[in-house]
């Protein structure tokens, strides 16, 4: 770390004494500064370790195992995804990227491949549809953001309670749709019964 130190120059001291004096002061300031910096760093680290509110789910750390499934979801390639899911039953509900998203989040967020969404939902248990990413959003939130009405309809048909789930910021999917200037879920919320 580069530090700029201000050291006053005393014109009454010979140059040799002046250098010694400056070096001594510099070392004192440097020692104090280093200990202060180290204390600040350790305080920040302990705060980070104790604050788990913004931490990703524990499964997020193993997403690399499911990168091929993530790629298939991005491309909308259901055949590749189906092979992966058939080989590993947990893959349908596994976190596939560093954002804590499942393959359903990814494919819905891409706003294409409705066939992929339909087939993937068949492989997933109903509770898995309410899985959340690091922002606390279900796949329905992503459908709201991109205006993917067909995917929103499929998700709500399987689990109508998704319409009333809130993200980490307290927003509903319909609120997110309004902010994204999409009318996908605004229309759906008018039709849905209150629970």
């Amino acid at each position: 770390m580069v530090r700029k130190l201000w050291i006053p120059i005393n014109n009454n001291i010979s140059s040799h004494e002046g250098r010694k004096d400056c070096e001594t002061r510099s070392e004192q300031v440097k020692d104090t500064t280093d200990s202060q910096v180290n204390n600040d760093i350790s305080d920040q680290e302990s705060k980070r370790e104790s604050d788990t509110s913004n931490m990703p789910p524990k499964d997020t750390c193993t997403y690399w195992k499911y990168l091929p499934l993530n790629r298939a979801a991005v491309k909308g390639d259901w055949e590749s995804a189906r092979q992966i899911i058939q080989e590993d039953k947990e893959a349908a509900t596994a976190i596939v990227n560093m954002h804590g998203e499942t393959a359903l989040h990814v494919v819905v967020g891409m706003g294409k491949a409705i066939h992929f969404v339909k087939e993937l939902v068949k492989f997933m248990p109903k509770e898995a549809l309410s899985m959340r990413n690091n922002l606390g959003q279900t796949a329905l939130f992503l459908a709201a953001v991109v205006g993917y009405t067909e995917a929103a309809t499929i998700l709500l048909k399987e689990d109508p309670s998704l319409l009333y789930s809130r993200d980490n910021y307290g927003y509903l999917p319909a609120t997110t749709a309004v902010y994204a200037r999409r009318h996908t879920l605004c229309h759906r919320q008018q039709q849905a019964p209150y629970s």
Side-chain angles (χ1 to χ4, degrees), residues 8 15 66 101 158:
S15 63
Y66 297 102
E101 296 176 332
E158 292 293 322

Side-chain angles (χ1 to χ4, degrees), residues 91-105:
T93 59
I95 292 173
V96 298
N97 63 27
M98 67 182 179
H99 305 294
E101 296 176 332
T102 63
L104 183 63
H105 284 93

Side-chain angles (χ1 to χ4, degrees), residues 160-191:
S161 68
L162 291 174
L163 196 56
Y164 306 103
S165 66
R166 294 183 181 271
D167 67 5
N168 293 349
Y169 303 101
Y171 294 119
L172 294 167
T175 310
T176 304
V178 170
Y179 284 128
R181 298 185 181 154
R182 307 289 184 185
H183 301 288
T184 304
L185 294 177
C186 299
H187 174 67
R188 296 278 174 224
Q189 189 158 8
Q190 290 173 350
Q191 295 176 346

Side-chain angles (χ1 to χ4, degrees), residues 73-76 107-117 146 148:
V74 168
K75 292 178 184 176
V107 74
V108 168
M110 295 303 293
K112 58 183 180 182
I114 192 66
H115 176 68
F116 193 118
V117 175
V146 299
Y148 200 5

Side-chain angles (χ1 to χ4, degrees), residues 1 15 20 42 45 51 61 98 115 118 132 138 143 147 174:
M1 182 183 305
S15 63
K20 282 176 105 178
S42 63
E45 287 174 354
D51 182 22
C61 300
M98 67 182 179
H115 176 68
K118 287 178 185 176
R132 299 168 182 275
T138 63

Side-chain angles (χ1 to χ4, degrees), residues 34-52:
D34 283 345
S35 65
Q36 288 173 346
V37 168
N38 290 338
N39 289 340
D40 290 346
I41 290 171
S42 63
D43 289 345
Q44 290 172 357
E45 287 174 354
S46 64
K47 285 179 188 176
R48 264 188 260 146
E49 288 172 4
S50 65
D51 182 22
T52 58

Side-chain angles (χ1 to χ4, degrees), residues 19-139:
R19 269 193 231 123
K20 282 176 105 178
D21 187 42
C22 288
E23 288 171 4
T24 305
R25 284 191 218 163
S26 173
E27 287 173 10
Q28 289 171 349
V29 171
K30 184 177 179 185
D31 290 343
T32 304
T33 307
D34 283 345
S35 65
Q36 288 173 346
V37 168
N38 290 338
N39 289 340
D40 290 346
I41 290 171
S42 63
D43 289 345
Q44 290 172 357
E45 287 174 354
S46 64
K47 285 179 188 176
R48 264 188 260 146
E49 288 172 4
S50 65
D51 182 22
T52 58
S53 61
N54 291 328
M55 295 297 289
K58 290 180 182 177
D59 294 345
T60 305
C61 300
T62 60
Y63 72 88
W64 57 269
K65 293 191 301 190
Y66 297 102
L67 286 177
L69 181 58
N70 185 42
R71 279 189 222 106
V74 168
K75 292 178 184 176
D77 180 8
W78 171 245
E79 289 307 313
S80 297
R82 184 178 53 78
Q83 289 175 352
I84 295 167
I85 292 169
Q86 286 177 341
E87 290 173 11
D88 181 1
K89 299 298 179 191
E90 293 179 6
T93 59
I95 292 173
V96 298
N97 63 27
M98 67 182 179
H99 305 294
E101 296 176 332
T102 63
L104 183 63
H105 284 93
V106 174
V107 74
V108 168
M110 295 303 293
K112 58 183 180 182
I114 192 66
H115 176 68
F116 193 118
V117 175
K118 287 178 185 176
E119 294 300 320
L120 184 57
V121 167
K122 290 178 188 176
F123 276 91
M124 298 176 77
K126 182 180 176 182
E127 309 84 52
L129 297 178
S130 61
M131 288 183 70
R132 299 168 182 275
N133 63 12
N134 294 348
L135 298 175
Q137 299 171 332
T138 63

